[in-house]
Amino acid sequence: MKKILIPIDGSEHAQKAALWVKNFFKDFKNVSVTFLHVSDLPKELMPHSYMMESIIEPTLIEEIINEKKEQAFKSVAGVFEDTEIKTEYVNKVGNPAEVIAQVAATENFDLVVIGSRGLGEIKGILLGSVSDRVAHICKRPVLIVK
Amino acid sequence: MKKILIPIDGSEHAQKAALWVKNFFKDFKNVSVTFLHVSDLPKELMPHSYMMESIIEPTLIEEIINEKKEQAFKSVAGVFEDTEIKTEYVNKVGNPAEVIAQVAATENFDLVVIGSRGLGEIKGILLGSVSDRVAHICKRPVLIVK
């Protein structure tokens, strides 16, 4: 079984990555897909933060995390419906690139397929995109879908 | 048929990419691999350069190109020998990242699989690696093998 990790964030870039995997691997046997959403709340809002209680209700944080997660999962739900590819959904909290790299390595994924934000976006030019950072720090093979 | 392009330069990074493709795709049907070597001679030594005749004999340039090309082809020969994956070998002259991106786009490859030089190398830190540049300029999906 070849294990493919697809990080998702609710964007069309992530959806594009999922559709590419479907199109490329639909006729192959023994491929499984794990969708990974990473909740990247500001540090102060992270659960277990020392500052948490002073700023915001824990239940509200949980609501925000859940809402974003559901939106991300929904954006790719059904992509592999008409294939034999098995899918599972995972949610984590933390820095997206670091969590993606960590999950890919510790759970020994064969491949990470991530959507590129492209160079057109100002944020991408100034800060580097998540896909760039994953490509650099991830110890497993990373496929960047345009 | 899924068309995979593997740029090679005679290095172990390129060999690693080829071995990864073999290991990942050996049980899949309908995959073909094209090995692409790009001869990146200094501009003055490129065939058809205006300065060419004044510096070096054209036959010597051809010899250098051929020798590097043969070395690169040799480094991956036999990787797919015991699989059903069909291979072909292509050589071009020019800037490696640009030629790789161009070939991937114009010949409509499904996937470019390229070995990463890693961040440890000084050249990679200062100039960016060929794999980084391919990942940025290539319009087709790029898979970076560590």
Side-chain angles (χ1 to χ4, degrees):
Chain A
M1 182 66 76
K2 301 296 181 191
K3 289 170 64 183
I4 298 176
L5 184 68
I6 307 180
I8 53 170
D9 59 0
S11 74
E12 57 171 326
H13 308 281
Q15 212 176 12
K16 225 171 170 178
L19 286 167
W20 186 88
V21 169
K22 180 201 175 170
N23 187 47
F24 194 92
F25 288 105
K26 63 185 170 191
D27 297 326
F28 295 143
K29 304 277 176 207
N30 297 323
V31 170
S32 77
V33 162
T34 299
F35 289 116
L36 171 63
H37 177 254
V38 184
S39 304
D40 59 340
L41 291 172
K43 231 180 216 163
E44 310 83 61
L45 300 186
M46 291 285 193
H48 316 302
S49 163
Y50 291 117
M51 295 176 67
M52 187 176 70
E53 281 178 296
S54 60
I55 293 179
I56 197 164
E57 285 293 321
T59 52
L60 185 55
I61 295 172
E62 223 167 280
E63 261 176 48
I64 296 171
I65 288 178
N66 271 333
E67 198 181 307
K68 286 197 171 189
K69 178 192 78 178
E70 290 305 328
Q71 187 207 329
F73 286 176
K74 216 172 159 183
S75 71
V76 291
V79 167
F80 292 96
E81 223 170 44
D82 51 346
T83 71
E84 285 178 36
I85 295 168
K86 274 177 205 156
T87 54
E88 64 166 357
Y89 295 80
V90 174
N91 194 65
K92 303 248 178 197
V93 177
N95 173 287
E98 283 166 23
V99 173
I100 292 163
Q102 194 187 15
V103 169
T106 56
E107 295 181 27
N108 213 23
F109 276 92
D110 295 294
L111 186 55
V112 179
V113 183
I114 191 165
S116 161
R117 296 212 164 254
L119 290 177
E121 289 187 18
I122 288 168
K123 195 183 165 193
I125 290 166
L126 295 179
L127 301 173
S129 61
V130 171
S131 57
D132 278 353
R133 188 146 166 72
V134 171
H136 274 133
I137 66 173
C138 186
K139 292 196 167 68
R140 307 295 301 155
V142 176
L143 197 167
I144 298 170
V145 173
K146 304 304 173 96
Chain B
M1 181 66 75
K2 301 295 180 191
K3 289 171 65 184
I4 299 177
L5 183 67
I6 307 180
I8 53 170
D9 58 0
S11 74
E12 57 172 324
H13 308 281
Q15 212 177 12
K16 225 170 171 180
L19 286 167
W20 186 89
V21 169
K22 180 201 175 170
N23 186 48
F24 194 93
F25 289 104
K26 63 186 170 189
D27 298 326
F28 294 141
K29 304 278 178 207
N30 297 324
V31 170
S32 77
V33 162
T34 298
F35 289 115
L36 171 62
H37 177 254
V38 184
S39 305
D40 59 340
L41 291 172
K43 232 181 216 161
E44 311 82 61
L45 299 186
M46 292 283 192
H48 316 303
S49 162
Y50 291 115
M51 296 176 67
M52 186 175 72
E53 281 179 296
S54 60
I55 293 178
I56 197 165
E57 284 292 320
T59 51
L60 185 55
I61 297 172
E62 223 166 278
E63 263 176 46
I64 296 170
I65 289 178
N66 271 333
E67 197 180 308
K68 286 196 172 191
K69 178 191 79 178
E70 291 304 329
Q71 187 206 329
F73 286 175
K74 217 171 157 183
S75 72
V76 290
V79 168
F80 292 95
E81 222 169 44
D82 50 347
T83 70
E84 285 178 35
I85 295 167
K86 274 177 205 155
T87 54
E88 64 166 356
Y89 295 80
V90 174
N91 194 64
K92 301 248 177 197
V93 176
N95 174 288
E98 284 167 23
V99 173
I100 292 163
Q102 193 188 15
V103 169
T106 56
E107 297 182 26
N108 213 24
F109 277 91
D110 295 294
L111 186 56
V112 179
V113 183
I114 191 165
S116 161
R117 297 212 164 254
L119 289 177
E121 289 187 18
I122 288 168
K123 195 183 164 193
I125 291 166
L126 295 178
L127 300 174
S129 61
V130 172
S131 57
D132 278 354
R133 188 146 167 72
V134 171
H136 275 132
I137 66 173
C138 186
K139 292 197 166 69
R140 307 296 301 154
V142 176
L143 197 167
I144 298 170
V145 174
K146 304 302 174 97

